[in-house]
Amino acid sequence: MMPAVRAFRPADAKAVADLRRAVLPYLISTPQSVARQVGTAPAAQCLRLFVAELDGRIVGAVHSGLVLERGAPGRAAATPLVHPDHRGRGAGGALLTAAEAQLTAAGATRLFTRAADEPGALAFAAHRGYRRTRPAGFLRLDLAGARLPPLPGRLPPGVRLRTGADFGADPYPLFAADSEAAADGPGDAASDAMAYENWLLRTWEHPDHDLGLTTVVTVDGEIAACTLATTDGLGRYSSGTTGTRRAFGRGPARLATTDSLRRARDAGCTEAFTGHDAANAPMLAINHALGYRPYAAGWRCVRELGRR
């Protein structure tokens, strides 16, 4: 029997979060974040969440929406997820078809998706007309058993370790630093930083964002590097973004990452995940030195909508 595709309902939030953990265990997902992503998305994003239901159980889902960053007109993203026990029944194709139709109607011209680096997933993407663009993957650290490097006994003059909570009254400086670091990262296409209002909504106010475990390194009062942390309350931690401002080199990024990981372990987190781009050699070197090891590999894929 082929699953039925329908629109997300608020009561589906826990089932969708459970599905995401089953398919993508390296991504942080909670019922709160699923519900908030749908309920607070800007109208201009045209975000929709479709689910595939079989015998009253959600076995697949896909988020689809336009990319709102300035400099990215016509770009959209959607990646269908299907529970491993229910693949091969048409759920993935039905979900992607629904997403493509919705995004085409919203004015999208290029649709990006992600595929695991395995024959079945890559064949599915190719059959749907998607071509591979960039390899990427995720790393995992056994945080409970990791031998993390110690923090310096004394920080250099002018250097301070702060947390995201210290910027609660005015997070704009953190936004500026995060935007600069993101602009320097590798990607398929250059784009300007997202607007501050969108950053507040999608990053700073995200329910899984852990202000206490987010580390900010300042030098003479100016932000040099930051690691934005997310947690799920189930022992999992993820560094969503780690970056250094151009004027400060790579040292502050290592310091920020080490501090955040050590405090995450002290807070009871047992495993840590981080994404990586294969072209980001400096950050890969930092993560490898900290004990992260390859966990999942994949590809970013793209299709011009309206073509096969």
Side-chain angles (χ1 to χ4, degrees), residues 21 25 27-32 208 210 230-238 269 271:
R21 284 195 296 272
L27 295 183
I28 300 296
S29 184
T30 66
Q32 295 82 3
D208 299 340
D210 196 315
T230 59
T231 55
D232 65 359
L234 301 173
R236 298 189 309 160
Y237 158 102
S238 175
C269 295
E271 55 183 345

Side-chain angles (χ1 to χ4, degrees), residues 182-265:
D184 288 339
D188 291 298
S191 64
D192 298 328
M194 71 175 73
Y196 180 50
E197 295 76 14
N198 290 335
W199 182 87
L200 286 174
L201 185 69
R202 296 171 59 185
T203 301
W204 186 252
E205 298 171 358
H206 194 286
D208 299 340
H209 181 198
D210 196 315
L211 293 178
L213 300 184
T214 290
T215 291
V216 183
V217 178
T218 62
V219 178
D220 296 329
E222 184 177 357
I223 294 178
C226 57
T227 291
L228 302 181
T230 59
T231 55
D232 65 359
L234 301 173
R236 298 189 309 160
Y237 158 102
S238 175
S239 54
T241 300
T242 298
T244 306
R245 303 190 78 173
R246 302 179 189 105
F248 295 95
R250 298 290 176 180
R254 182 184 176 94
L255 180 60
T257 304
T258 301
D259 179 70
S260 183
L261 285 171
R262 292 182 70 89
R263 286 187 293 106
R265 184 170 63 185

